[in-house]
Amino acid sequence: MCEKHAHHSVMPDYSHWGHSFGHLSDENDANDARIYMDYNATTPMDPEVVEAVTVAMREAWGNPSSSYLPAVKARDIINQARESISRMVGGKPEDIIFTSGGTEANNLVLHTAVTHFCQSRVAAEREELNSTHHNDTAALPHLIISNVEHDSIRLPAQHLQQEGRAGRPHLQEGKAEVTCVAVSKATGRVEAEDVVAAIRPNTCLVSIMMANNETGVVMPIKEICQRVRAVNKQRPQPRILLHSDAAQAIGKIRVDARDMGVDYLTIVGHKFYGPRAGALYVNGPGVASPLHPMLFGGGQERNFRPGTENTAMIAGLGKAAELVNTHLSEYESHLWDIRGYLEERLLAVFGADKIRFNSRFPGSDRLPNTCNVSILGSGLVGPRVSC
């Protein structure tokens, strides 16, 4: 996974942020020049983000719900961050709900889908009491995910599938049914036709990541959304909700939630040089798209995610989004360049017979910063390969 900063006029200088590991090596190995290449796991904070966080901690320490000056400043910072983040993903400020990170945002989506389905089922049962028409309202909510999702999607789905059966093995059902759609071996993508084939009458959510963190393959989210929305037009309520975890895509390629057609989009700050904070894009929260809180408290985030706002981290998230809004085209071009250089050098050093690029699928796009490669041969050891 490639870093964005080397040799480009718009890229900040991270040399003082310890991107090499020389300062962590043994005293006797002064020539250790290992390079950090795991940017899909996390990125260092941009210096401008660090400054934004620092200023907020120093000057905007007030409770954003209060009326005194530091509180007003905190509220203004939060509003500005909401504006920057919404612009980054093609939404409106009111579509952004701040969360602690991507894991919470993903859990909130799954919780919402199941809750909305169950509430709709109760409403349908009430209507059925006054009607001779019978529907299968006893079915559990059904979730469709892919087999390459992050654990913050996979494990909550698994938990919903198993919940209610713990300690009661005689029970055959949990709180939800889950289908994992496999990526195509030919394209590395989750194909739209496979998602549609998995839909059942009780399907309430399709959640497919926008880009995979290991292969870098970009999923056809817009096509999937179009196909599922066509199904929605032919079936009764509740409609199938659409979610994409965009953690790996934001800051690397253009992300436009409305153009893709998703109801929900997960945003993770530490993947694009921001802090470990996150947000959830919701297309019209509580109006066009349901959103059911997991927490209850002081009414912050319009009661969708209560809890006194973490102003400093939100400030950093907003600044990181602002930088993406300003520099995305330069970032993307630069990442293509350095990924191309890396792959050229790998071929030159090891030869085409010893190198396999695992995510070059015909017809599939991939993130410009991600290289998934195998070095072939017997008896290979990591440190010797890197030498």
Side-chain angles (χ1 to χ4, degrees):
M1 317 322 177
C2 305
E3 57 186 311
K4 75 177 185 180
H5 69 270
H7 306 113
H8 200 286
S9 60
V10 301
M11 306 300 167
D13 177 13
Y14 293 120
S15 58
H16 60 293
W17 286 101
H19 286 215
S20 73
F21 292 90
H23 64 298
L24 300 178
S25 61
D26 188 90
E27 290 180 359
N28 297 323
D29 190 10
N31 294 322
D32 189 348
R34 286 175 288 175
I35 299 171
Y36 180 65
M37 296 183 70
D38 200 15
Y39 278 65
N40 281 358
T42 197
T43 59
M45 282 198 292
D46 188 287
E48 291 188 48
V49 172
V50 173
E51 178 64 18
V53 170
T54 303
V55 169
M57 293 178 71
R58 184 173 59 243
E59 300 179 9
W61 48 265
N63 189 319
S65 299
S66 300
S67 57
Y68 42 83
L69 187 59
V72 172
K73 187 172 183 63
R75 190 159 59 248
D76 289 345
I77 286 174
I78 291 170
N79 290 339
Q80 179 57 52
R82 204 184 304 275
E83 165 66 32
S84 295
I85 295 165
S86 67
R87 189 152 54 91
M88 179 178 68
V89 298
K92 300 176 181 178
E94 57 266 30
D95 294 333
I96 303 301
I97 307 296
F98 290 113
T99 66
S100 60
T103 293
E104 182 187 348
N106 285 343
N107 274 261
L108 182 55
V109 171
L110 269 66
H111 167 79
T112 289
V114 170
T115 302
H116 180 64
F117 178 90
C118 293
Q119 290 184 356
S120 299
R121 184 180 63 185
V122 169
E125 288 172 349
R126 289 172 181 165
E127 290 182 7
E128 195 169 304
L129 292 175
N130 302 317
S131 171
T132 58
H133 180 69
H134 176 74
N135 290 309
D136 182 14
T137 57
L140 292 174
H142 174 236
L143 314 174
I144 297 175
I145 64 175
S146 82
N147 67 337
V148 295
E149 295 300 314
H150 189 269
D151 279 352
S152 59
I153 288 290
R154 185 181 63 85
L155 293 180
Q158 185 182 84
H159 175 74
L160 287 166
Q161 194 173 25
Q162 297 174 348
E163 192 175 5
R165 289 185 289 179
R168 295 185 287 177
H170 61 285
L171 295 179
Q172 299 300 309
E173 296 181 334
K175 284 191 172 182
E177 298 172 345
V178 179
T179 297
C180 286
V181 176
V183 297
S184 165
K185 292 182 179 180
T187 66
R189 310 189 312 176
V190 178
E191 297 298 343
E193 55 263 32
D194 294 331
V195 172
V196 172
I199 291 175
R200 305 174 186 172
N202 56 323
T203 301
C204 64
L205 177 71
V206 171
S207 177
I208 306 294
M209 60 171 37
M210 188 172 175
N212 184 259
N213 51 302
E214 296 290 342
T215 64
V217 171
V218 179
M219 305 298 175
I221 300 301
K222 185 173 182 177
E223 181 186 358
I224 291 171
C225 289
Q226 289 172 340
R227 296 285 298 274
V228 174
R229 288 186 183 279
V231 172
N232 276 337
K233 292 178 181 179
Q234 301 171 10
R235 56 180 260 161
Q237 295 289 333
R239 65 185 170 89
I240 302 169
L241 301 170
L242 294 156
H243 167 247
S244 186
D245 181 348
Q248 294 300 338
I250 293 173
K252 301 161 190 171
I253 59 175
R254 176 177 172 267
V255 176
D256 189 324
R258 290 183 180 271
D259 180 63
M260 287 189 292
V262 295
D263 298 299
Y264 311 96
L265 190 83
T266 296
I267 301 161
V268 183
H270 71 98
K271 305 293 188 179
F272 57 98
Y273 298 85
R276 289 184 172 90
L280 180 66
Y281 160 87
V282 184
N283 181 20
V287 181
S289 303
L291 189 62
H292 295 280
M294 295 189 295
L295 306 173
F296 299 89
Q300 293 86 356
E301 294 301 287
R302 291 156 284 167
N303 282 312
F304 294 124
R305 202 286 185 182
T308 303
E309 299 90 341
N310 189 343
T311 306
M313 294 300 102
I314 291 173
L317 188 62
K319 174 56 72 172
E322 181 185 319
L323 292 172
V324 170
N325 292 335
T326 303
H327 297 302
L328 178 60
S329 61
E330 292 96 332
Y331 290 169
E332 189 173 2
S333 175
H334 182 68
L335 291 171
W336 279 114
D337 288 345
I338 59 175
R339 203 265 305 276
Y341 174 77
L342 171 64
E343 293 182 350
E344 287 174 6
R345 293 301 303 152
L346 287 170
L347 280 171
V349 171
F350 293 98
D353 59 328
K354 294 292 181 69
I355 286 289
R356 177 185 296 153
F357 295 109
N358 301 310
S359 52
R360 290 182 173 180
F361 294 98
S364 295
D365 295 327
R366 55 180 175 140
L367 297 173
N369 76 313
T370 304
C371 172
N372 187 307
V373 60
S374 297
I375 301 173
L376 310 178
S378 60
L380 293 177
V381 180
R384 293 180 183 175
V385 171
S386 62
C387 291

